[in-house]
Amino acid sequence: MIAPRADTTEVSATSDQLPAEKARVGISGTPDSGGVNRNRLPLLLPALTLALLLLAALSLCIGAGEVGALGVLDYVLGHNGARTDARLALVVGDLRLPRTLTALLVGAALGVAGCLLQAVTRNPLAETGLLGVNAGASFGVVTGIALLGLDSGHAYLVCAFAGAVLASGLVLLIAGRRGGGSPMRLVLAGAALGSTFGGATSVIVVNSAEAYDRFRNWVLGSLAGVEGFGELGRLSPVLLTGFLVALLVARPLSALALGDDMARGLGHRPPVIRTVVAVGVTLLTASAVALAGPISFLGLLAGFVARSLAGNRLPARLLCAGLIGAGVLTAADVAARVVARPFEAPVSVIVALIGAPVLIALVRSRKFAATGLADPATEEPKPVKAARTRTFWGGETLLRRGPVSLLVVRRALFAVLVLAGLLLVAVVLSAQAGQSDMGVVRTFRAIFGEGDRFDVLAVQKFRLSRIVAGLAAGAALGLAGCLTQTLARNRLATPELLGVNDGATAAVLIAVSFSAAGTFGAWWAGPLGALVAVVVVTTVAGGLGQRGYRVLVVGLAMSALASAVTQVVLARRSLGSASSLYVWTQGSLNGRGYEVALPVLLGLLALVPLALAVARHLDVLRFDDTTASSLGAAPARVRAVCMLLAVALAGLAVGICGPVGFVALAAPVIASRLSGPLRVPLLGSMLVGAALVTVADTVGRIAFEGSEIPVGVVTTVLGGPFLLWVLLGRSAATRV
């Protein structure tokens, strides 16, 4: 997950705002902001504790073995010789009690870790996968399965913990260079390393059916394999150390909320605080992932709900987050044993089904509005620096013929021509790459139907049809990303933030499940699912005009629900079918041809002119709404039209090749660097997106002899280093 703009979340430390900020972090004696009174905390914490004890008791009483509440009570209290009963000792002592304690500790660890991350990054949407811990753990488990042949729960635990520590260690190393571990650098480094580790995991999984069969069960998260206290006992010291770090860092982290300068004035060292927090989060999350698998969304949910209940006083938020995380995971584990008897449902799916409605209800409440997170962002437009020298390529040319005139920006035109030439080269090389030894000249002739008929058949029938599908999908993703980033005024924004990719993916998989042929012919389900996801998100959030966190929170909740649906579909299918579906969910052009690309090309023919027509208004939207209205634009209308265009384009792309990552993020950034910052690079983004997908597909086909890497996996692996290069460079602050 990518964080929102740092300038909308960071806390100012100016003198006129200091009293208010002291109230926010609970330093002064006034009630906390967000409508939370400190007098409520003595009642809130006992209530949460009581609810947690009831859930723990329920967990002990439900499960296999036909042991009821009275038998459990006798065993716990040692009455009537219950502890000498072999059956009770097995069911309660070896199965239910260790499982319940593991759920409590893992849930508390994820809740506290999520709360710490939200505090240190000053981002209420941060979650425990932010430091790449989940991706690193997944990579460790897959590596152990595929390369080392490991197949035991203890081996998975060791590999998951080692991978999680490796990933978070690299994040800390990268974020600490030249930036002192600032919140934005932690976010970007975590996203980049998470992307790279996730892509590497997919490379191994798509080439090993055995690894995928074991991985697809582990990655869903489950407590079913907990037997005895062995694994929990080994990781208890690590968990306790993580909780101790959270306790010790609470006060310095509260001071850090006042700003780095004020924290230094109070005797703290912000880089050291952030590093210690990251270490504590790593210990807690790595242990939790090793014990129960990568349970996403729980850290976000617990930290967010704790903020709404306990306000901004960090010690109280940490306690509430730990209790809420433990309670939610325990409730989800109980539900997982009941809803699909005699089998067990994945606990991460249950967490998403429980947490998403809670988040949606929370952001629709008045309490959420009182926290200030739903307020419109008051952002001043950044001044555009004047060019130092006016060169030929930096100027403009006015073309006029009668009443019609056209202003041509020479640098942007030159960039488009260069990108078009590079795209042509990429197409020729992609058509040439393959098993047959065909030179570039023969390939170029075969594209136009000349030369040997076998060359023409191989190029036009098989390779070129796939290339056309990739071009259409890449152009759609590039344009969708450009529209989204311009609307959000944020180079990190993509349609994924509104649940578009996950909604489209779930819709296509559902259509495949109900299809008699079981194929991917129902390309139309992609844009339909994306449209449904956005309609739900915008309706629940109160419209596209919401500029605060409300739309993002609802989008994350929708993504969690759609991802849960996708996981259920994959888990219920046979291994062969699930393997092919998994490859598609990573983004693949395998078997895609003209029959799928043609509808998308027709859609582009209709949508691209409309996007170009509103391009002028997009330039104006870079200013605030008042300035845009005074220049003749209608911000609300333009924003709605552009968002619908982005959704339709992203949905069409998913219908072709699945959710290909990185392209919608990178294409506008590259196009903007080439064409200059004065214009919205719509055409350039389309060309860059098409080129990226074409090149990635070519690399995936030729990288490993005898096997193919999905295009989405290639873009994900390359996306991490690109994100670090673009956003962690010397001038990153001017480009975010």
Side-chain angles (χ1 to χ4, degrees), residues 68 132 231 375 399 521 634 676 689 711:
E231 296 180 352
D375 295 339
L399 303 178
V711 60

Side-chain angles (χ1 to χ4, degrees), residues 132-143 145-146 193-208 211-212 215-216 218-219 582 586 709 713 716-717:
V133 176
N134 289 355
S138 299
F139 178 74
V141 170
V142 168
T143 302
I145 294 173
L193 267 298
S195 173
T196 301
F197 275 107
T201 300
S202 299
V203 170
I204 299 175
V205 168
V206 298
N207 288 291
S208 173
Y212 172 70
F215 175 72
R216 66 170 175 165
W218 177 85
V219 78
Y582 176 80
Q586 300 303 301
I709 305 300
V713 174
T716 301
V717 172

Side-chain angles (χ1 to χ4, degrees), residues 239 539 548:
L239 284 171
T539 301

